[in-house]
Amino acid sequence: KDFDDARLAIAKARSFFEQANCLHDISGVLASLEAKVAHGEGLETCLKRARAAFEACKLGLARVLPLKNGKEKRAILIAARDECFTAIAGFQEAGEENVASQARQMLADVEQRIRETNTSEEADAAIASAEAHLTHQRFGEARREGAQAMLFLAKGGMLEEREAQVTDLEERIQAQETRHGA
């Protein structure tokens, strides 16, 4: 129970530091705490928990594939990320470096998907804002929001797959601007 409480506290800290945009600065400390928890559990329990966490992370990744809702997707990915950290620490403690390496690969995938989900939501908000500005014939603001959306999509590695959406928005801005003689 104490080990579960410690893991929960580490997961909460990870979430807090992520919201404060400084997770990268503290991630080494959190990984070290995770390793201490794994060490304290004992080898058999630690390895059992690492295997369960590894499977939970795989399951989380599979569950997000069909999802469209960004918040739901993000919540599952964050839980999967926490499971990856537990798996990595446990496998390392047990000397299972090969599986720990696989868990690190999975963690990198999960973190990339979290970034994509975050930037996708930001891009959607910028596009919605651009649409609102366009409705009110505020062409400069609409253009800025469209450019902002492109930046978010590029940052998340999704520009190529959603470029047509932003291009369509730009073309509609230009067409309305021309029609209104702006």
Side-chain angles (χ1 to χ4, degrees):
K1 169 112 173 73
D2 289 341
F3 295 113
D4 291 338
D5 290 345
R7 276 195 185 81
L8 182 60
I10 292 167
K12 285 181 179 180
R14 191 175 289 116
S15 178
F16 171 77
F17 287 114
E18 181 181 36
Q19 289 173 2
N21 288 322
C22 60
L23 180 59
H24 183 71
D25 299 335
I26 198 80
S27 63
V29 172
L30 296 175
S32 175
L33 290 172
E34 194 89 52
K36 289 181 189 312
V37 170
H39 179 74
E41 272 187 317
L43 189 59
E44 190 176 317
T45 304
C46 160
L47 192 53
K48 192 187 224 178
R49 185 172 305 278
R51 287 184 181 128
F54 190 67
E55 290 306 314
C57 186
K58 282 185 197 175
L59 187 67
L61 279 171
R63 281 182 57 207
V64 298
L65 288 177
L67 296 179
K68 299 292 181 216
N69 181 315
K71 286 184 184 342
E72 185 181 359
K73 208 173 190 176
R74 191 174 189 305
I76 292 169
L77 287 168
I78 286 173
R81 179 183 63 192
D82 291 334
E83 295 292 358
C84 282
F85 278 109
T86 298
I88 292 166
F91 288 134
Q92 284 179 325
E93 179 62 27
E96 300 271 341
E97 195 51 49
N98 189 28
V99 192
S101 178
Q102 290 174 21
R104 279 191 288 279
Q105 285 292 131
M106 203 177 323
L107 175 63
D109 185 27
V110 167
E111 289 181 329
Q112 175 61 32
R113 290 176 192 222
I114 289 171
R115 280 190 298 278
E116 288 172 1
T117 301
N118 291 347
T119 56
S120 180
E121 287 178 355
E122 292 168 327
D124 289 343
I127 289 169
S129 178
E131 295 282 359
H133 286 305
L134 183 57
T135 300
H136 298 307
Q137 299 177 4
R138 294 189 297 260
F139 305 115
E141 289 90 342
R143 209 175 244 109
R144 270 191 291 284
E145 290 294 333
Q148 192 70 36
M150 285 188 79
L151 288 173
F152 286 131
L153 292 170
K155 180 179 157 189
M158 297 173 298
L159 183 57
E160 198 171 304
E161 63 191 63
R162 294 197 41 203
E163 188 172 14
Q165 183 182 13
V166 179
T167 301
D168 174 63
L169 175 64
E170 288 175 355
E171 288 170 356
R172 287 186 293 123
I173 292 169
Q174 189 170 11
Q176 279 197 29
E177 205 172 24
T178 302
R179 263 185 261 136
H180 288 88

mmCIF file of all heavy atoms in Angstrom, residues 51-67 76-77 79-81 83-84 106 110 113:
data_model
loop_
_atom_site.group_PDB
_atom_site.id
_atom_site.type_symbol
_atom_site.label_atom_id
_atom_site.label_comp_id
_atom_site.label_asym_id
_atom_site.label_seq_id
_atom_site.Cartn_x
_atom_site.Cartn_y
_atom_site.Cartn_z
ATOM 1 N N ARG A 51 5.881 -5.779 -15.110
ATOM 2 C CA ARG A 51 5.212 -6.471 -16.221
ATOM 3 C C ARG A 51 3.773 -5.987 -16.379
ATOM 4 O O ARG A 51 3.304 -5.773 -17.500
ATOM 5 C CB ARG A 51 5.250 -7.978 -15.990
ATOM 6 C CG ARG A 51 6.620 -8.565 -16.216
ATOM 7 C CD ARG A 51 6.620 -10.073 -16.087
ATOM 8 N NE ARG A 51 7.957 -10.589 -16.289
ATOM 9 C CZ ARG A 51 8.569 -11.408 -15.440
ATOM 10 N NH1 ARG A 51 7.954 -11.830 -14.349
ATOM 11 N NH2 ARG A 51 9.785 -11.824 -15.689
ATOM 12 N N ALA A 52 3.080 -5.850 -15.259
ATOM 13 C CA ALA A 52 1.687 -5.370 -15.312
ATOM 14 C C ALA A 52 1.633 -3.940 -15.861
ATOM 15 O O ALA A 52 0.759 -3.610 -16.676
ATOM 16 C CB ALA A 52 1.063 -5.433 -13.925
ATOM 17 N N ALA A 53 2.570 -3.089 -15.433
ATOM 18 C CA ALA A 53 2.611 -1.701 -15.903
ATOM 19 C C ALA A 53 2.916 -1.651 -17.401
ATOM 20 O O ALA A 53 2.332 -0.855 -18.140
ATOM 21 C CB ALA A 53 3.658 -0.910 -15.117
ATOM 22 N N PHE A 54 3.825 -2.515 -17.854
ATOM 23 C CA PHE A 54 4.188 -2.576 -19.268
ATOM 24 C C PHE A 54 2.956 -2.940 -20.106
ATOM 25 O O PHE A 54 2.678 -2.308 -21.128
ATOM 26 C CB PHE A 54 5.312 -3.607 -19.444
ATOM 27 C CG PHE A 54 5.943 -3.616 -20.805
ATOM 28 C CD1 PHE A 54 6.700 -2.539 -21.249
ATOM 29 C CD2 PHE A 54 5.820 -4.720 -21.636
ATOM 30 C CE1 PHE A 54 7.303 -2.553 -22.502
ATOM 31 C CE2 PHE A 54 6.420 -4.742 -22.879
ATOM 32 C CZ PHE A 54 7.160 -3.663 -23.314
ATOM 33 N N GLU A 55 2.197 -3.935 -19.653
ATOM 34 C CA GLU A 55 0.985 -4.345 -20.361
ATOM 35 C C GLU A 55 -0.069 -3.232 -20.321
ATOM 36 O O GLU A 55 -0.766 -2.998 -21.304
ATOM 37 C CB GLU A 55 0.423 -5.644 -19.773
ATOM 38 C CG GLU A 55 1.292 -6.862 -20.067
ATOM 39 C CD GLU A 55 1.587 -7.065 -21.540
ATOM 40 O OE1 GLU A 55 0.645 -6.972 -22.365
ATOM 41 O OE2 GLU A 55 2.756 -7.314 -21.882
ATOM 42 N N ALA A 56 -0.176 -2.546 -19.188
ATOM 43 C CA ALA A 56 -1.151 -1.444 -19.067
ATOM 44 C C ALA A 56 -0.802 -0.310 -20.030
ATOM 45 O O ALA A 56 -1.693 0.305 -20.626
ATOM 46 C CB ALA A 56 -1.190 -0.932 -17.633
ATOM 47 N N CYS A 57 0.483 -0.050 -20.197
ATOM 48 C CA CYS A 57 0.911 0.993 -21.131
ATOM 49 C C CYS A 57 0.557 0.590 -22.564
ATOM 50 O O CYS A 57 0.032 1.397 -23.331
ATOM 51 C CB CYS A 57 2.412 1.244 -20.993
ATOM 52 S SG CYS A 57 2.970 2.629 -21.993
ATOM 53 N N LYS A 58 0.827 -0.662 -22.922
ATOM 54 C CA LYS A 58 0.467 -1.157 -24.262
ATOM 55 C C LYS A 58 -1.040 -1.015 -24.494
ATOM 56 O O LYS A 58 -1.472 -0.586 -25.558
ATOM 57 C CB LYS A 58 0.844 -2.634 -24.413
ATOM 58 C CG LYS A 58 2.281 -2.918 -24.658
ATOM 59 C CD LYS A 58 2.405 -4.417 -24.910
ATOM 60 C CE LYS A 58 3.808 -4.913 -24.775
ATOM 61 N NZ LYS A 58 3.877 -6.376 -24.900
ATOM 62 N N LEU A 59 -1.809 -1.395 -23.497
ATOM 63 C CA LEU A 59 -3.263 -1.320 -23.589
ATOM 64 C C LEU A 59 -3.723 0.130 -23.775
ATOM 65 O O LEU A 59 -4.589 0.420 -24.605
ATOM 66 C CB LEU A 59 -3.898 -1.910 -22.326
ATOM 67 C CG LEU A 59 -5.402 -2.050 -22.333
ATOM 68 C CD1 LEU A 59 -5.835 -3.097 -23.349
ATOM 69 C CD2 LEU A 59 -5.881 -2.443 -20.947
ATOM 70 N N GLY A 60 -3.108 1.056 -23.023
ATOM 71 C CA GLY A 60 -3.440 2.475 -23.152
ATOM 72 C C GLY A 60 -3.168 2.988 -24.552
ATOM 73 O O GLY A 60 -3.990 3.711 -25.140
ATOM 74 N N LEU A 61 -2.025 2.603 -25.107
ATOM 75 C CA LEU A 61 -1.692 3.025 -26.470
ATOM 76 C C LEU A 61 -2.708 2.485 -27.471
ATOM 77 O O LEU A 61 -3.109 3.188 -28.400
ATOM 78 C CB LEU A 61 -0.284 2.562 -26.842
ATOM 79 C CG LEU A 61 0.844 3.431 -26.322
ATOM 80 C CD1 LEU A 61 2.193 2.759 -26.549
ATOM 81 C CD2 LEU A 61 0.813 4.800 -26.962
ATOM 82 N N ALA A 62 -3.139 1.257 -27.285
ATOM 83 C CA ALA A 62 -4.128 0.673 -28.192
ATOM 84 C C ALA A 62 -5.484 1.369 -28.041
ATOM 85 O O ALA A 62 -6.192 1.574 -29.033
ATOM 86 C CB ALA A 62 -4.269 -0.823 -27.914
ATOM 87 N N ARG A 63 -5.825 1.750 -26.818
ATOM 88 C CA ARG A 63 -7.127 2.389 -26.572
ATOM 89 C C ARG A 63 -7.236 3.775 -27.193
ATOM 90 O O ARG A 63 -8.334 4.204 -27.547
ATOM 91 C CB ARG A 63 -7.371 2.514 -25.060
ATOM 92 C CG ARG A 63 -7.832 1.239 -24.428
ATOM 93 C CD ARG A 63 -8.125 1.382 -22.948
ATOM 94 N NE ARG A 63 -9.104 2.411 -22.686
ATOM 95 C CZ ARG A 63 -9.170 3.099 -21.556
ATOM 96 N NH1 ARG A 63 -8.330 2.881 -20.584
ATOM 97 N NH2 ARG A 63 -10.102 4.013 -21.390
ATOM 98 N N VAL A 64 -6.131 4.518 -27.327
ATOM 99 C CA VAL A 64 -6.224 5.887 -27.844
ATOM 100 C C VAL A 64 -6.318 5.952 -29.363
ATOM 101 O O VAL A 64 -6.756 6.962 -29.894
ATOM 102 C CB VAL A 64 -5.066 6.810 -27.377
ATOM 103 C CG1 VAL A 64 -5.059 6.959 -25.894
ATOM 104 C CG2 VAL A 64 -3.737 6.357 -27.905
ATOM 105 N N LEU A 65 -5.933 4.892 -30.047
ATOM 106 C CA LEU A 65 -5.922 4.929 -31.513
ATOM 107 C C LEU A 65 -7.251 5.361 -32.124
ATOM 108 O O LEU A 65 -7.262 6.248 -32.978
ATOM 109 C CB LEU A 65 -5.470 3.579 -32.083
ATOM 110 C CG LEU A 65 -3.991 3.271 -31.902
ATOM 111 C CD1 LEU A 65 -3.675 1.874 -32.435
ATOM 112 C CD2 LEU A 65 -3.119 4.313 -32.573
ATOM 113 N N PRO A 66 -8.392 4.782 -31.731
ATOM 114 C CA PRO A 66 -9.647 5.179 -32.384
ATOM 115 C C PRO A 66 -10.269 6.463 -31.823
ATOM 116 O O PRO A 66 -11.236 6.962 -32.387
ATOM 117 C CB PRO A 66 -10.573 3.981 -32.118
ATOM 118 C CG PRO A 66 -10.080 3.417 -30.828
ATOM 119 C CD PRO A 66 -8.586 3.645 -30.838
ATOM 120 N N LEU A 67 -9.719 6.992 -30.745
ATOM 121 C CA LEU A 67 -10.351 8.139 -30.090
ATOM 122 C C LEU A 67 -10.135 9.439 -30.849
ATOM 123 O O LEU A 67 -9.073 9.678 -31.417
ATOM 124 C CB LEU A 67 -9.821 8.298 -28.661
ATOM 125 C CG LEU A 67 -10.122 7.168 -27.688
ATOM 126 C CD1 LEU A 67 -9.497 7.472 -26.337
ATOM 127 C CD2 LEU A 67 -11.613 6.974 -27.532
ATOM 128 N N ILE A 76 -5.854 9.167 -21.054
ATOM 129 C CA ILE A 76 -5.374 7.788 -21.216
ATOM 130 C C ILE A 76 -3.873 7.775 -21.451
ATOM 131 O O ILE A 76 -3.146 6.946 -20.895
ATOM 132 C CB ILE A 76 -6.132 7.087 -22.366
ATOM 133 C CG1 ILE A 76 -7.592 6.875 -21.960
ATOM 134 C CG2 ILE A 76 -5.476 5.759 -22.727
ATOM 135 C CD1 ILE A 76 -8.495 6.432 -23.099
ATOM 136 N N LEU A 77 -3.381 8.716 -22.257
ATOM 137 C CA LEU A 77 -1.948 8.776 -22.531
ATOM 138 C C LEU A 77 -1.138 9.123 -21.273
ATOM 139 O O LEU A 77 -0.059 8.580 -21.061
ATOM 140 C CB LEU A 77 -1.661 9.791 -23.643
ATOM 141 C CG LEU A 77 -2.066 9.344 -25.044
ATOM 142 C CD1 LEU A 77 -2.014 10.511 -26.013
ATOM 143 C CD2 LEU A 77 -1.194 8.189 -25.520
ATOM 144 N N ALA A 79 -1.987 8.408 -18.192
ATOM 145 C CA ALA A 79 -1.973 7.188 -17.371
ATOM 146 C C ALA A 79 -0.971 6.182 -17.948
ATOM 147 O O ALA A 79 -0.215 5.545 -17.190
ATOM 148 C CB ALA A 79 -3.371 6.575 -17.314
ATOM 149 N N ALA A 80 -0.930 6.061 -19.271
ATOM 150 C CA ALA A 80 0.025 5.156 -19.918
ATOM 151 C C ALA A 80 1.460 5.611 -19.652
ATOM 152 O O ALA A 80 2.351 4.779 -19.418
ATOM 153 C CB ALA A 80 -0.243 5.091 -21.425
ATOM 154 N N ARG A 81 1.680 6.916 -19.667
ATOM 155 C CA ARG A 81 3.023 7.437 -19.379
ATOM 156 C C ARG A 81 3.461 7.047 -17.968
ATOM 157 O O ARG A 81 4.587 6.603 -17.756
ATOM 158 C CB ARG A 81 3.046 8.959 -19.542
ATOM 159 C CG ARG A 81 4.414 9.568 -19.239
ATOM 160 C CD ARG A 81 4.413 11.062 -19.326
ATOM 161 N NE ARG A 81 3.530 11.629 -18.322
ATOM 162 C CZ ARG A 81 3.149 12.901 -18.319
ATOM 163 N NH1 ARG A 81 3.549 13.705 -19.270
ATOM 164 N NH2 ARG A 81 2.367 13.348 -17.373
ATOM 165 N N GLU A 83 2.459 4.503 -16.268
ATOM 166 C CA GLU A 83 2.727 3.061 -16.289
ATOM 167 C C GLU A 83 4.098 2.767 -16.902
ATOM 168 O O GLU A 83 4.816 1.882 -16.440
ATOM 169 C CB GLU A 83 1.632 2.314 -17.058
ATOM 170 C CG GLU A 83 0.261 2.381 -16.431
ATOM 171 C CD GLU A 83 0.126 1.629 -15.118
ATOM 172 O OE1 GLU A 83 1.079 0.986 -14.646
ATOM 173 O OE2 GLU A 83 -0.978 1.690 -14.541
ATOM 174 N N CYS A 84 4.462 3.517 -17.941
ATOM 175 C CA CYS A 84 5.777 3.322 -18.560
ATOM 176 C C CYS A 84 6.896 3.595 -17.564
ATOM 177 O O CYS A 84 7.870 2.839 -17.481
ATOM 178 C CB CYS A 84 5.949 4.241 -19.775
ATOM 179 S SG CYS A 84 5.124 3.674 -21.253
ATOM 180 N N MET A 106 8.509 2.784 -25.687
ATOM 181 C CA MET A 106 7.076 3.002 -25.562
ATOM 182 C C MET A 106 6.815 4.355 -24.907
ATOM 183 O O MET A 106 5.906 5.079 -25.318
ATOM 184 C CB MET A 106 6.434 1.882 -24.731
ATOM 185 C CG MET A 106 4.978 1.731 -25.021
ATOM 186 S SD MET A 106 4.144 0.381 -24.151
ATOM 187 C CE MET A 106 5.296 -0.929 -24.087
ATOM 188 N N VAL A 110 4.559 7.418 -26.270
ATOM 189 C CA VAL A 110 3.478 8.012 -25.479
ATOM 190 C C VAL A 110 3.681 9.521 -25.355
ATOM 191 O O VAL A 110 2.745 10.305 -25.558
ATOM 192 C CB VAL A 110 3.397 7.362 -24.074
ATOM 193 C CG1 VAL A 110 2.499 8.162 -23.145
ATOM 194 C CG2 VAL A 110 2.900 5.929 -24.185
ATOM 195 N N ARG A 113 2.826 11.298 -28.531
ATOM 196 C CA ARG A 113 1.371 11.362 -28.720
ATOM 197 C C ARG A 113 0.729 12.403 -27.799
ATOM 198 O O ARG A 113 -0.238 13.054 -28.188
ATOM 199 C CB ARG A 113 0.744 9.989 -28.509
ATOM 200 C CG ARG A 113 1.089 9.035 -29.620
ATOM 201 C CD ARG A 113 0.531 7.665 -29.349
ATOM 202 N NE ARG A 113 1.087 6.699 -30.260
ATOM 203 C CZ ARG A 113 0.367 5.759 -30.842
ATOM 204 N NH1 ARG A 113 -0.928 5.684 -30.637
ATOM 205 N NH2 ARG A 113 0.940 4.893 -31.640
#
